[in-house]
Amino acid sequence: MRILIEEYQYDVSKVRDVLYGIDALENMEGRVSIHYVGYYYNMLLKDCVFILPKVLLKDVDGKELVFGKV
């Protein structure tokens, strides 16, 4: 299982395989973000990818963490 966050800026090189098959991306200086939430099955990875809402991000000591922990 792979987990991504809505509108979070990812380096293209790090998520290229994870985002295989998704068309709705915005590329800004080598970074991409996803503008929706949901899940899909990635045929390349043979695994599920979950895109969680950005409201789950919490700033903890200057780091953005999902649920304040991860």
Side-chain angles (χ1 to χ4, degrees):
M1 171 176 52
R2 311 298 168 103
I3 297 176
L4 300 173
I5 302 295
E6 167 197 28
E7 294 187 17
Y8 189 82
Q9 296 292 313
Y10 295 98
D11 289 325
V12 174
S13 61
K14 293 183 180 179
V15 294
R16 185 179 320 272
D17 290 345
V18 176
L19 297 177
Y20 174 79
I22 292 184
D23 296 327
L25 300 177
E26 184 177 324
N27 189 343
M28 295 184 270
E29 300 176 8
R31 299 177 76 71
V32 295
S33 62
I34 306 159
H35 299 285
Y36 49 85
V37 297
Y39 69 95
Y40 69 99
Y41 184 77
N42 183 309
M43 296 296 289
L44 182 66
L45 300 175
K46 296 182 179 9
D47 202 359
C48 287
V49 177
F50 290 87
I51 305 165
L52 301 178
K54 63 185 173 184
V55 297
L56 297 178
L57 282 178
K58 183 178 179 183
D59 188 296
V60 177
D61 298 327
K63 295 180 182 179
E64 288 184 312
L65 303 176
V66 179
F67 305 115
K69 296 183 180 188
V70 182

